[in-house]
Amino acid sequence: MALLAGNAAAQQASGHDPAAIHADSAPGFQADMDAGMARMMQDMHALDYSGNADADFLAMMIPHHAGAVDMARLVLRHGRDPATRQLAEEIMAGQTLEIESMTRRLAALRQPASAGPDFPSLGGNRGN
């Protein structure tokens, strides 16, 4: 709640009334955003924990990042601010690359142990 209050205060300080911003919001944006957030949360929690923290982390982060791509796509459809639209495009590009990377790593982690890792050992005590 503090974050929302902070955002409202920042908007008022910048001369933007939050109520006016909401009133000017493109039709359908709120419903589309709410549906996307619900889908992301459902997808994040749809998988049972496997007991492998690395695989579980990736399995939940993939839909989390996909949700960010969906949200950015919505602002490109409904938003008008050029700087926000540029940021949305950058988010889509970055998150898409990260999703691809996480998907590959998750597939490698789910391979049988006999396949062996495809990366060098970190050594030392990192991660312990």
Side-chain angles (χ1 to χ4, degrees):
M1 210 41 134
L3 179 60
L4 294 177
N7 286 344
Q11 290 168 342
Q12 287 174 338
S14 67
H16 295 104
D17 177 16
I21 291 171
H22 180 70
D24 292 341
S25 186
F29 175 77
Q30 184 174 353
D32 290 346
M33 186 66 80
D34 288 347
M37 294 291 289
R39 183 175 48 253
M40 178 189 72
M41 293 303 291
Q42 180 179 0
D43 291 348
M44 285 176 61
H45 295 286
L47 303 168
D48 290 329
Y49 286 99
S50 69
N52 179 329
D54 298 312
D56 293 342
F57 168 77
L58 293 170
M60 290 183 78
M61 287 303 289
I62 292 167
H64 177 73
H65 284 235
V69 171
D70 291 342
M71 291 169 68
R73 190 173 289 119
L74 286 173
V75 83
L76 289 176
R77 186 180 325 151
H78 296 283
R80 299 292 172 252
D81 177 55
T84 302
R85 293 173 58 82
Q86 179 178 348
L87 181 59
E89 289 173 353
E90 292 169 5
I91 288 169
M92 289 177 68
Q95 298 294 304
T96 299
L97 288 174
E98 290 182 10
I99 290 167
E100 291 170 5
S101 177
M102 289 185 290
T103 300
R104 284 191 308 273
R105 187 71 222 139
L106 181 58
L109 289 173
R110 289 181 172 166
Q111 290 181 1
S114 62
D118 62 351
F119 58 93
S121 172
L122 293 176
N125 63 0
R126 287 184 268 170
N128 294 335

